[in-house]
Amino acid sequence: MTSSSAGAPTHAPDTKLDRHVLVIAGVVVLGAIMSILDVTVVSVAQNTFQNEFNTDAAGAAWTMTGYTLALAAVIPLSSWAAARFGTKNVYMMSLILFTIGSALCALAWNIGSLVAFRVVQGLGGGLLMPIGMMILTKAAGPERVGSVMAVLGIPMLLGPIAGPILGGLLIEKASWHWVFLINVPIGIVALVYSWFALGNDDEKSKPKIDIVGLLLLSPGLALFLYGISSSTEAGTFIDTKVLTTSIIGLILIIGFVWHALHTNHPLLDLRLFKNKTLAIAVITMTFFMIAFFGAALLYPQYFIGVRGESTLAAGLLLAPQGIGAMLTMPIAGRMTDKIGPGKFVLVGIVLMALGMGTFMFLGSDTPYWLLCGALFVQGLGMGMTMMPIMSAALATLSNKQVPDGSTLMNVVQQTASSIGTAVISVILATNLKAHAESQLAIASNAAPEKYDLLVKAGQAPQNPPGQWFSWAAEAFGATFIVAVALIVVTIIPAFFLPRKKIASTLVEEDVDRAPIVMH
């Protein structure tokens, strides 16, 4: 297809998702829901794990850290595995591994076995998102990348919101086992669905794995993210363990960058950064994910620790954010295909900054109507931001480049989200230390059993004074200032994203991309 033969009447229908693409999207969304919800659902079960397995907060945190490290280790393999075995085969194997890991987690008998089975889960879950993105992007073609990314974005954006609600319900109404068991029937349905809905790839290339690249990138990412995550427990970034593991991981990553640029078939083709649009999209995505996931950590902690809400209530209070995202995400996806992502992303970032900015002035009794309204505005911005950024990156790639591009975007997302969570956690801990009583106030709501022990030991009053909660709220507000600053900085790279339709120019340059359809 060329520009001379592609008038408006011909292109207009191409942005609509036909039944074939929607069927494939259903498969990918099921996998994404399992992978993403599992992170947030387990986050609300940390206190339960401590009580059930007689461990401390650090031990329970390994149920999240182990999963994250497994994701980081396996994501770089996505592109090679897709080319070597085909996307359908890899996707189905990932579903099987994730489902088996989920069942094993429910059978865990101590904290060590639970962490080990979480690693098994992560090895499967790490491939679901990047492989799913490859499948969807190839099925839809460049003209409809924005629309399919909007579909895939639903579980990605709503996971942090639905997770606490679902986790609270399962733990309160059933038991912690169902946090994992719920994945088993979903996994079986997704597996059967995949078998019938996905076609076999016509992959003829059987590339050898880049052993050197694998030995550098996978452990490099895992060590770097482990070091960054350890800063939360240490309460600082200058702790010996944090610095040692982070620096070793960073050295390995730098070594991979040098290796990838000097070998013909690297594990991950970093020459994609020569593509200006992709490079800008990656930078924008990095700042966005740091700010978004950092802030996402604060909302439930404030509602539970300062306002005394239950886990379930805290999740429900976050619902306006999801509603806002659901309203704008489909519109942004369709319009991105027609007029480019630049305008939507800029407006979305401004809305996010406005909504998040309200939380800079938190008090211990800030009206819920104001906070829910701010979350709704932020949700509107979220729906206009994340997926158009990803669309900008993937729509500029040729069919052969999509696997590497998808893998690259997932590596960036995982790394940036971990950095955001760690940075905001450390800043919050530092702000809370300004008034030690604020930490006791939060403990009285978030961990009442531990607070009761302090009361019995004479180290805390039976009823914490209201001033303590005011100090705690001020610490959260000061932390939100950093999150808002990060989201505002995102405007700089976002300003350079394309503000016109990408696909028409792309098809002129890459004629063989037009008929990208899964068979």
Side-chain angles (χ1 to χ4, degrees):
M1 182 185 298
T2 63
S3 56
S4 60
S5 62
T10 304
H11 275 98
D14 291 337
T15 61
K16 297 179 181 179
L17 299 182
D18 55 36
R19 181 179 177 277
H20 171 73
V21 177
L22 289 174
V23 167
I24 293 175
V27 177
V28 177
V29 167
L30 273 177
I33 287 174
M34 289 196 303
S35 177
I36 296 170
L37 277 183
D38 204 67
V39 177
T40 51
V41 167
V42 171
S43 68
V44 304
Q46 294 298 291
N47 288 339
T48 303
F49 293 152
Q50 292 180 49
N51 297 330
E52 186 72 23
F53 297 118
N54 193 27
T55 186
D56 56 13
W62 269 102
T63 60
M64 296 184 65
T65 304
Y67 184 83
T68 301
L69 297 184
L71 291 182
V74 78
I75 286 175
L77 289 170
S78 304
S79 178
W80 169 81
R84 181 68 177 82
F85 303 106
T87 52
K88 177 180 179 178
N89 293 330
V90 176
Y91 193 76
M92 292 183 66
M93 284 303 302
S94 299
L95 284 172
I96 292 172
L97 193 58
F98 186 87
T99 304
I100 291 174
S102 298
L104 290 173
C105 286
L107 299 175
W109 55 91
N110 57 31
I111 194 65
S113 61
L114 180 57
V115 171
F117 296 146
R118 283 285 284 165
V119 170
V120 175
Q121 248 193 332
L123 293 176
L127 291 175
L128 287 177
M129 280 303 295
I131 298 296
M133 287 172 60
M134 294 177 203
I135 292 171
L136 265 183
T137 305
K138 290 180 180 180
E143 296 285 342
R144 299 180 290 184
V145 167
S147 298
V148 295
M149 285 298 109
V151 173
L152 186 57
I154 293 173
M156 294 181 70
L157 287 178
L158 300 189
I161 301 164
I165 299 175
L166 180 61
L169 277 173
L170 291 173
I171 292 172
E172 291 179 15
K173 304 300 181 182
S175 70
W176 68 267
H177 302 83
W178 283 97
V179 169
F180 303 107
L181 285 176
I182 193 172
N183 288 322
V184 176
I186 298 176
I188 293 173
V189 170
L191 190 62
V192 176
Y193 191 173
S194 302
W195 175 263
F196 290 103
L198 300 181
N200 293 313
D201 296 338
D202 294 327
E203 296 286 353
K204 296 181 180 179
S205 62
K206 301 295 182 183
K208 294 182 179 179
I209 191 169
D210 175 15
I211 297 295
V212 174
L214 179 62
L215 293 176
L216 289 171
L217 185 56
S218 288
L221 280 173
L223 284 171
F224 179 73
L225 295 184
Y226 172 71
I228 292 294
S229 301
S230 299
S231 64
T232 303
E233 180 185 345
T236 177
F237 288 106
I238 58 175
D239 179 78
T240 301
K241 182 173 72 172
V242 173
L243 287 175
T244 301
T245 51
S246 298
I247 291 173
I248 292 174
L250 193 58
I251 290 173
L252 290 174
I253 293 172
I254 293 173
F256 171 78
V257 171
W258 186 90
H259 167 76
L261 295 176
H262 292 82
T263 190
N264 292 328
H265 301 289
L267 184 69
L268 185 60
D269 188 4
L270 299 183
R271 296 180 183 90
L272 290 179
F273 279 107
K274 293 180 179 179
N275 181 321
K276 181 181 177 181
T277 301
L278 180 136
I280 293 172
V282 167
I283 295 171
T284 308
M285 178 64 75
T286 300
F287 283 107
F288 172 81
M289 295 295 284
I290 291 174
F292 171 64
F293 275 92
L297 177 79
L298 298 175
Y299 301 120
Q301 289 192 40
Y302 167 77
F303 286 131
I304 295 171
V306 179
R307 305 302 289 268
E309 301 293 347
S310 67
T311 300
L312 178 58
L316 291 172
L317 285 167
L318 290 172
Q321 186 175 229
I323 295 171
M326 289 176 66
L327 290 175
T328 55
M329 195 183 303
I331 299 172
R334 289 194 299 268
M335 296 306 294
T336 294
D337 288 331
K338 296 179 180 179
I339 64 174
K343 297 175 183 177
F344 284 98
V345 173
L346 287 172
V347 174
I349 292 173
V350 171
L351 288 174
M352 287 191 68
L354 290 174
M356 197 182 295
T358 303
F359 286 81
M360 296 190 301
F361 308 100
L362 279 177
S364 58
D365 56 356
T366 304
Y368 277 158
W369 66 263
L370 177 60
L371 298 182
C372 289
L375 285 168
F376 177 74
V377 172
Q378 182 178 325
L380 293 174
M382 287 163 51
M384 299 174 68
T385 306
M386 185 174 181
M387 303 321 291
I389 294 174
M390 296 182 68
S391 301
L394 297 179
T396 61
L397 303 180
S398 69
N399 195 15
K400 293 181 180 179
Q401 292 174 325
V402 166
D404 277 326
S406 173
T407 302
L408 179 61
M409 292 302 288
N410 277 272
V411 167
V412 168
Q413 288 178 42
Q414 185 62 46
T415 305
S417 60
S418 297
I419 292 173
T421 300
V423 168
I424 294 300
S425 295
V426 171
I427 293 173
L428 176 62
T430 302
N431 290 336
L432 288 172
K433 288 178 182 177
H435 294 284
E437 296 85 353
S438 63
Q439 295 173 299
L440 291 175
I442 291 175
S444 69
N445 283 329
E449 301 89 353
K450 294 182 179 180
Y451 187 79
D452 288 342
L453 294 176
L454 294 175
V455 172
K456 292 178 181 178
Q459 299 176 11
Q462 183 70 41
N463 298 305
Q467 182 62 47
W468 289 12
F469 291 100
S470 296
W471 285 335
E474 290 173 5
F476 275 91
T479 308
F480 268 108
I481 293 175
V482 178
V484 173
L486 287 169
I487 203 67
V488 170
V489 169
T490 309
I491 293 176
I492 298 174
F495 182 80
F496 297 97
L497 288 172
R499 299 181 196 176
K500 59 182 180 180
K501 184 176 179 180
I502 298 174
S504 58
T505 302
L506 179 67
V507 173
E508 284 182 15
E509 296 174 352
D510 192 0
V511 178
D512 67 346
R513 286 204 57 192
I516 300 177
V517 181
M518 296 291 290
H519 298 287

